[in-house]
Every structure is written in C-alpha cells, then in structure tokens.
Amino acid sequence: MKNNKHFDTELIHGDICDQDFCVNPPIFYSATFKATSEEMFAEMASTVRHQQFYTRYGNPTHERAAKIIAAIEGGETALLTSSGMGAISSTILALVSQGDHVVAQTNHYMGTYKLLSDMLLRFGVESTFVDQTDVEAFRKAVKSNTKLMMVETPSNPTMTLTDLVKVADFAKQKGIVTVCDNTFASPVNQNPLSLGIDVVVHSATKFLGGHHDITAGAIISSQKIIEKIWFTSVMLGPTLSPMDAWLLLRGLRTLSLRVERQNQNALKVAKFLEGHGRVEKVFYPGLESHPQHALAKKQMRGFGGVLSFILKGSYKETAEFAKRLKMLTNAVSLGGVDTLFVHAAAMWAGTMSEEQMKRSNIHPTLIRVSLGLENCDDIIADINQALG
Ligand SMILES: *Cc1c(COP(=O)(O)O)cnc(C)c1O
C-alpha cells in the first residue's frame, strides 16, 4: 500500500487532498473546468489524465474514489469507468491490436467472453479459451503473437479458481500482459497485483459500490499502463458520472466491514447447505470440499460473499424452491447489502429443455447466492423453509 496505511484506514483517508476544507467531499458536478489564463488552458489541455479539464478526461470526484481503489489494490493508480464492461473493454482494446492473440478462460463473465470470442474476432484479434484450473493449458495456448492473458478468479457460477502466481509468473517470462477480473473476490480478500498480475479490473457495481445503486467500473495498474488505457477510454467514452463516483466513494468507506460480514455469512450458509439432505453439492472456496481449497487459502485472505449450489431433483423442483424463498431477492448482480439469488437455468427455461441445458453445461438445478448483510440466522431460516 502506497502510504503504508492499513486497508481500513485507506478506505476513510486514502482520498485526502491538500485543499480539503470539508470532512465529506463535494460532488464536482461540472462537465468542464475553467482556466484563468491562456497558459493554464494550454497546460490543462495537454496534460494526460488532467482531473479538472473536461469530465470525460477526469474529474475531482473520480480522482478521490480512484485514489482509494488504487491504494487498496496496491496499484500505482486507478481509472474509473461507467461500468465493469467499460473497464474490461477499454483495458482489452488498449492492450491488443490487429493480428494479436489472447489467452483467456473458458469460464468468464459473459460480457468478457463475448467481447473476446465475437467482437475482437471482427477486428482480427483471436482468442484461445482454456480450463482455468490447468496452468499447463495456459502455457500450451501461448503463440508467438500472444499479447494478453485474461483471468478471472473465483469465476461464475462454480467459484472456480485460477492460480494467479503461476499464470503471472509464466506470462512475465514471455512478456505477456496479464489482466485479472477481481470482482468476485473484492480487494478485501484478494490482491492480484501483489501476486504478479499486471492489471486488475472490477465491476464496481458489485462489492466496491456495495449498495445495488450504481453501475461503475475500475482499472488498477502502473501509471504507464493506466495512461495507455486512458487514451483508449477517452475515445470510447465510458465516463462515470460525478454523482456515481461520489456514491462509489460513499460505498468504499464501509467496504471492509461489509465484505467481512459477507465472508462470514457465505461460509455459514455454505456449511448449512452442505449438511442439508436436499443439496447435492455446494461450490464455495472456503469449504474444505472445494477442490481448490488449498489454492484459495494460499491466494485469498477471505473466501468471498458468493456461493452456488446444486439441488437434488429437477428444474421444476428448483423453480419451486426459488418461488418459496421469501426474504432472499431474485435478481442478478452481487456484492451488495441485500442477499440476492439467481436460478441460472431460469434464464434459458423459455428456449431450452432440461436436456438441452445439461448439454450446454447449464446445470438445471444450480442456484447462485450473493450474501448480503442481513443476520445470517434469518438468511438460513429463509433457505431452510424453502427447502421444505
Ligand atoms: C458484473 C460483472 C462484470 C460486468 O460489470 P458491469 O458493471 O455490469 O458492466 C464483469 N465481471 C464480473 C465478474 C462481473 O460480475
């Protein structure tokens, strides 16, 4: 951490700046900023990442939230965007060119996967997708034109891990840039930069914001790499609104308190589910039954607020279970104060049979839960009554 302050202290004081005269920072709701002289204007216009020139280029409210995010991820600097996909697309588009090759995982956030498999292909960038649990597969997929390795750990929906030290180590030897989507773990539980990864991306919509009220993204890396990504992002234009940057800042203040509780709730719920007769299997890196539990203990400080499980029975019985849940909210997204769940297969129920789902690796009875801040006894009671 830059100033060697503790994580929780950075969340409160990491954004301090010289001209502070209020305890809570103002929202700089201005699209553009004044110069008081011709020289000053020329300087503002030509400075990379000037934070008081034009809001698409930077904004003082962005700067404050970005300072904290850089500190808690252990990076030199951070860039904010208007969504997680804005962060991921700006990063990837800045780092690859026509004729380049990317190694990524078979398991990624859907938007990341589609960006690599469909959109980038149209611009002459090919990707190879490998099993994230197999370090050898990353090695084997590398070609002479591989420029980037994209990883995501834990990944949706089965909380599968990538060995960050091993992948980063190997990529470094080959001069390949590594990017890690750290959304599911959050910086409270995992810091990929400290394990050798070059760039971290976040959907700040999730744990960093933490209240289901903003859509935002963040990119953390060295000054040099972030400047390069900034030149791309000012062209693409995923600018975070100053109001949402302020809400992100507000959310960040309590990040460690929230995630600690979410870690605890997730572990308790995972253990409860594992002991229940109607549950076939639970996926949570904090459980000893997780096939990568040893790796989780090595690269994570906590195991996160998201888990998933497979019920015994059919799609229909799982849909009925979902219907009986009273307090848990049926909604996509994760990492916020409310406990949310999704019955993944329900998204395809209108277009696929149970057999087709199984063939497409969409488990018909899989439920994903993102634990919120409710009292865990109430969460377990709701799940228990729904299990019947
Ligand atoms: C939600 C999510 C994204 C996309 O973020 P948005 O803020 O919705 O654009 C990317 N990666 C992961 C792992 C996510 O959960």
Side-chain angles (χ1 to χ4, degrees), residues 83-86 88 109 112 152 181 183-184 203 205-206 215-216 334:
S83 69
M85 279 315 300
I88 292 166
Y109 181 74
T112 306
E152 185 175 328
D181 185 332
T183 301
F184 267 55
S203 169
T205 312
K206 317 291 170 55
T215 305
L334 55 105

